[in-house]
Amino acid sequence: MLEQQMAFLVEIDKLKTIQRQARIMHGDRFENDAEHSWHLAMMALILRQEANAEIDLLKVVKMLLVHDIVEIDAGDTFAYDTKGHEDKDERERRAANRIFGLLPEAQERELHELWREFEAKETPEARFASSLDRLQPLIHNHHNEGESWQRHSITEGMVLKRNREIANGSERLWTYAQELIADAAEKGFLARETDETGRRP
Amino acid sequence: MLEQQMAFLVEIDKLKTIQRQARIMHGDRFENDAEHSWHLAMMALILRQEANAEIDLLKVVKMLLVHDIVEIDAGDTFAYDTKGHEDKDERERRAANRIFGLLPEAQERELHELWREFEAKETPEARFASSLDRLQPLIHNHHNEGESWQRHSITEGMVLKRNREIANGSERLWTYAQELIADAAEKGFLARETDETGRRP
C-alpha cells in the first residue's frame, strides 16, 4: 500500500511543471499549478469566514490541493480559451482515472470524489473553493497590471462575465472582485471598450 | 479586515520565489517553498494513517501550509548548514512577527500558534508534520540520484542522524526512509565512507 502511495506522491511532483497563464506576483515567470494550489489553500484558511454558507474547511482545503492534479495529463486550459474547453472534460476524466488510479482503492475513490465535487460546484464547499480559484488570478492580474489580460486581449466585460459566479460561493468576495476589476479598468490594466466580437478594437 | 487579509495573501506570494536545495523530481530546477508546502500537504492527506498517534488532519495540513512562510524574510536554511542554524530562530521569529502581523489579530494569533507548535515538535500533529517535512527531501534526493547530497558532500551517516526523528511522528515512515537511504547508498547516490570530519574523503 505504501508503495502505491509513494508512486502517486512521486507522480504528482509533475504538477510543479504545469504552467499557468498568470505570472507570479513577485518575479518574472509564470506560476505553476502546485504553487497555485498552495496559494488557494492558504486563501481558504484566511478567507473562510467570507463563504456564503457554513463550510467544512478541511474539505475545501482538500479540494483545492487536489483540483488541478488532472492537469498533469490534461494541461492547463486558459479560462478564456473556448476551443480548449471543448474536450477539457474528456481529457481531465482520463487523467483522473490514470493518476488517482495509482492509489490504493479507498484513496483513489476519495480523491475522485473530491475532484468531481469540485467540478460540479453544487455543494457549499465546492462553490467556495471555486470562488477562490476564480478570485486568485484576478488578484494576480491586478497586481501585475493586467499582463496576461493584455497578452490575450481580454476585456473588462469578459472578466466580469467569466467571474460573476464567484458570488455563488461568496457574495462578499464577488463585491471585492468587482472593485478590483473596476480599478484595473480605471488604471488601464484591462481594456474597457470592446468591438462586436467582444475583443479589444 | 478584508484589506489586511488581501495584503497578507499578496505578500505570501513571495514564498514562490524562495528556493530550496533539492531539485523538483521532473524537471531541471530547484524546488521553491510554495510548491514544497503543497506537496507536504498532499503527503499528509495520503499518508495520514502512518502517524504514530491519532491526529487532527486539518491541523497537520494547516501547519504544513504555513510552516515555511517565515522563510520569505529568513530564507531557506539548508538542513546540514550548521552556521546557518545559529541565528535561524531569531531570523524566523522576526519574520513571523512581520508577516503574520499583516493579518487581523485573531488570525495573526492562529498562524503564530500553528508555526510555534510546528517548530516545538511536541504534539502528535507537529511530530507527524515534521516527519513529512524530513521525508520529502529524501524522496526527492533518491529520485534525483542524490544530486543535492553530492553537491554538499553529505554522507549516509549524516542523513541517518539528521532524519531519525522521523520516527517520532511515524515509525513506519522511518522504516521506509531507512530503506530509501540504504538503497541510495547501495546505488552510489549517497556516500558511505566518511573521514574523521564526517565529510566524504
Side-chain angles (χ1 to χ4, degrees):
Chain A
M1 193 165 111
L2 199 51
E3 211 60 31
Q4 288 172 282
Q5 291 168 321
M6 290 298 174
F8 172 80
L9 292 170
V10 166
E11 179 65 23
I12 64 170
D13 187 83
K14 291 180 183 163
L15 203 61
K16 300 169 189 171
T17 68
I18 306 298
Q19 191 177 289
R20 293 170 49 80
Q21 285 295 334
R23 286 171 196 275
I24 58 171
M25 291 189 246
H26 303 92
D28 188 32
R29 64 164 177 85
F30 290 101
E31 192 186 30
N32 70 59
D33 269 345
E35 56 198 5
H36 162 70
S37 301
W38 166 79
H39 210 169
L40 290 180
M42 282 302 305
M43 287 175 73
L45 299 195
I46 300 301
L47 300 174
R48 61 192 181 237
Q49 280 151 342
E50 307 299 325
N52 287 343
E54 281 273 314
I55 49 160
D56 171 346
L57 181 60
L58 178 58
K59 201 190 213 185
V60 172
V61 169
K62 282 180 177 180
M63 274 181 199
L64 290 170
L65 293 173
V66 166
H67 81 293
D68 270 344
I69 288 178
V70 294
E71 296 191 356
I72 287 173
D73 287 354
D76 177 55
T77 307
F78 184 50
Y80 302 91
D81 172 6
T82 328
K83 193 157 161 41
H85 276 80
E86 279 171 16
D87 62 343
K88 178 173 175 281
D89 287 358
E90 179 48 31
R91 279 184 288 128
E92 293 193 346
R93 212 174 2 252
R94 275 199 308 265
N97 288 341
R98 183 187 75 79
I99 304 168
F100 302 151
L102 296 170
L103 286 166
E105 207 185 317
Q107 292 195 317
E108 172 182 6
R109 214 165 34 234
E110 186 191 1
L111 263 57
H112 242 120
E113 274 163 26
L114 283 167
W115 175 68
R116 278 197 210 103
E117 183 174 338
F118 176 83
E119 290 288 316
K121 298 180 194 173
E122 282 164 4
T123 61
E125 285 80 11
R127 282 187 182 145
F128 185 59
S130 176
S131 297
L132 299 177
D133 192 33
R134 298 269 156 129
L135 178 61
Q136 194 246 18
L138 296 182
I139 299 173
H140 269 256
N141 257 304
H142 186 272
H143 192 274
N144 292 340
E145 308 194 344
E147 190 273 333
S148 88
W149 287 328
Q150 286 157 29
R151 189 157 29 90
H152 292 282
S153 307
I154 306 300
T155 64
E156 185 184 23
M158 291 161 81
V159 175
L160 285 168
K161 184 172 171 219
R162 158 100 186 152
N163 291 293
R164 67 182 165 215
E165 69 170 66
I166 290 176
N168 297 344
S170 170
E171 293 284 354
R172 279 209 296 269
L173 290 180
W174 175 229
T175 302
Y176 177 83
Q178 285 170 289
E179 288 165 14
L180 268 190
I181 295 165
D183 188 62
E186 195 65 42
K187 287 177 172 149
F189 304 162
L190 181 59
R192 268 209 156 124
E193 294 76 27
T194 60
D195 63 13
E196 62 276 26
T197 66
R199 304 229 143 202
R200 273 196 304 167
Chain B
M1 192 163 112
L2 199 50
E3 213 60 32
Q4 289 172 280
Q5 291 168 320
M6 290 297 174
F8 172 79
L9 291 170
V10 167
E11 179 65 22
I12 64 170
D13 186 84
K14 290 179 184 165
L15 203 61
K16 300 169 189 170
T17 69
I18 307 298
Q19 191 176 289
R20 293 170 48 81
Q21 285 294 336
R23 287 171 196 274
I24 58 171
M25 290 189 246
H26 303 92
D28 188 31
R29 63 164 177 85
F30 290 103
E31 191 185 32
N32 70 58
D33 269 346
E35 54 199 6
H36 162 71
S37 301
W38 166 79
H39 210 168
L40 290 181
M42 282 302 304
M43 287 174 73
L45 298 195
I46 299 301
L47 300 174
R48 61 193 180 237
Q49 280 152 341
E50 307 299 325
N52 288 341
E54 281 273 314
I55 49 160
D56 172 346
L57 181 60
L58 178 58
K59 201 191 215 186
V60 172
V61 169
K62 282 180 177 180
M63 276 183 198
L64 290 170
L65 293 173
V66 165
H67 82 293
D68 270 344
I69 288 178
V70 294
E71 297 192 357
I72 288 172
D73 286 355
D76 176 56
T77 307
F78 183 50
Y80 302 91
D81 172 6
T82 329
K83 193 156 162 42
H85 276 80
E86 279 171 14
D87 63 342
K88 178 174 175 279
D89 287 358
E90 180 48 31
R91 280 184 287 128
E92 293 192 348
R93 213 174 1 253
R94 278 200 306 268
N97 288 341
R98 183 186 76 78
I99 304 168
F100 301 152
L102 296 170
L103 285 166
E105 207 185 316
Q107 292 194 318
E108 173 183 5
R109 214 164 34 236
E110 186 192 0
L111 264 57
H112 243 121
E113 275 163 24
L114 282 167
W115 175 69
R116 278 198 211 102
E117 183 174 337
F118 175 82
E119 290 288 316
K121 299 179 193 173
E122 282 164 3
T123 61
E125 284 80 11
R127 284 187 181 145
F128 185 59
S130 177
S131 297
L132 299 177
D133 193 32
R134 297 268 156 129
L135 178 60
Q136 194 246 16
L138 297 183
I139 299 173
H140 269 256
N141 257 303
H142 186 272
H143 192 274
N144 292 340
E145 309 194 343
E147 189 275 328
S148 88
W149 286 327
Q150 288 158 29
R151 190 157 28 90
H152 293 282
S153 307
I154 306 300
T155 64
E156 186 184 22
M158 292 162 80
V159 175
L160 284 168
K161 183 172 173 222
R162 158 100 187 151
N163 291 294
R164 66 182 166 214
E165 69 170 66
I166 290 175
N168 297 343
S170 170
E171 293 284 356
R172 278 207 297 266
L173 291 180
W174 176 229
T175 302
Y176 178 81
Q178 285 171 289
E179 288 165 12
L180 267 190
I181 295 165
D183 188 63
E186 194 65 42
K187 287 178 173 150
F189 304 162
L190 182 58
R192 268 209 157 125
E193 294 77 27
T194 60
D195 64 11
E196 63 275 29
T197 66
R199 303 231 146 204
R200 273 194 306 166

